[in-house]
Amino acid sequence: MSDLSPSILITRPQAAAERFEVALRAAGIAVPVTISPLIKIVPTGEIPSLDGVSGVIFTSVSSVEAMADGGLPAWCVGDATAEAARARGWQARAAGGDAEALCERVLADARRGSVKGPLLHLRGRFARGDLSTRLSAAGVPTGEAIVYDQKLCGLSEDAKALLMRENPVIVPLFSPRSAAQFAAEVAQIEVSAPMYVVAMSAAVAAETQDLDAFVLKLLAHPSAAEMIDAVLGLLDASDHVEDR
């Protein structure tokens, strides 16, 4: 590798970060990866009753993992969440990767008669999109239950050291809350590294406005696959394609 070869900093919760690193490696990306979770997932330990519920809504893999195995229809925010739900017995169907697409998918299925009764949104303490209220107002009765918490964490010393070098650092940011925490953490150190930031959505990008990013890329369609493509593109942009 060259002296100024790039690296990747993943700030997702630990399990999600490890899954994303595996996906990066499968895509042929071989540059160093540092994992420094800015959010720690803590299950509440309370499994809500599904009596009277005809289906559930999962907006993250963490919500799937916080539940017992099930067999009900499950509307999932994206492919990774749907895959995790299927592995645990749920009849999972994936939406387009964000809350808007998920809401539209549920309403479209309701119009087709695929939603037979009340739904339950299983989520973390911090969530966006207000799905249960919107779906209920649109004629699909939907409750919600908090099945995990998201505790904020600071950047690790390894992550800080990475950002204080001169080597480019590619930072994929997946959620508005982790993006806001990243911006707050970066503001407390002297960053020397050119930061190539990829935002999963406009809401995520909005939290990075104060970052002194060399490049800020916004995904057109929020998905893990497109995030990987964006990382590949930024490796090209950093002029170290040979280091992949």
Side-chain angles (χ1 to χ4, degrees):
M1 291 188 180
S2 63
D3 290 339
L4 293 178
S5 58
S7 59
I8 299 170
L9 174 59
I10 306 176
T11 62
R12 304 192 79 183
Q14 187 69 36
E18 291 172 359
R19 287 192 296 270
F20 188 64
E21 181 179 8
V22 169
L24 291 174
R25 299 309 187 200
I29 296 174
V31 302
V33 170
T34 296
I35 293 176
S36 177
L38 292 177
I39 293 176
K40 180 179 181 181
I41 301 299
V42 183
T44 63
E46 300 178 6
I47 305 299
S49 171
L50 299 180
D51 290 346
V53 173
S54 70
V56 299
I57 296 173
F58 289 124
T59 41
S60 70
V61 173
S62 297
S63 58
V64 177
E65 294 173 340
M67 289 293 292
D69 293 355
L72 292 174
W75 284 264
C76 302
V77 68
D79 292 335
T81 303
E83 182 178 345
R86 290 189 195 102
R88 303 191 69 163
W90 301 92
Q91 302 171 42
R93 56 202 75 180
D98 62 10
E100 288 299 321
L102 180 55
C103 185
E104 291 173 7
R105 173 64 189 270
V106 173
L107 293 176
D109 285 351
R111 289 190 292 270
R112 287 192 290 265
S114 300
V115 180
K116 303 301 182 183
L119 303 180
L120 183 63
H121 179 199
L122 302 162
R123 65 174 184 84
R125 188 171 305 280
F126 299 91
R128 300 175 69 91
D130 204 10
L131 275 172
S132 60
T133 299
R134 293 174 61 190
L135 289 171
S136 296
V140 181
T142 304
E144 60 181 12
I146 295 172
V147 294
Y148 66 92
D149 204 350
Q150 306 112 303
K151 305 290 188 181
L152 291 176
C153 308
L155 282 171
S156 67
E157 293 305 313
D158 285 347
K160 292 177 182 178
L162 195 68
L163 293 167
M164 294 170 71
R165 301 189 308 166
E166 294 183 357
N167 303 59
V169 179
I170 296 168
V171 188
L173 294 173
F174 289 78
S175 75
R177 196 157 182 260
S178 61
Q181 179 69 350
F182 180 70
E185 287 288 307
V186 165
Q188 299 179 46
I189 62 176
E190 293 185 9
V191 176
S192 302
M195 289 189 294
Y196 292 71
V197 176
V198 192
M200 177 66 94
S201 67
V204 175
E207 299 293 346
T208 66
Q209 293 181 20
D210 294 333
L211 281 179
D212 186 16
F214 188 75
V215 172
L216 172 60
K217 181 176 178 61
L218 172 63
L219 297 190
H221 302 97
S223 70
E226 185 157 335
M227 181 65 87
I228 291 169
D229 286 344
V231 170
L232 283 164
L234 290 183
L235 284 170
D236 290 339
S238 65
D239 291 328
H240 290 281
V241 186
E242 72 277 7
D243 291 334
R244 278 189 274 156

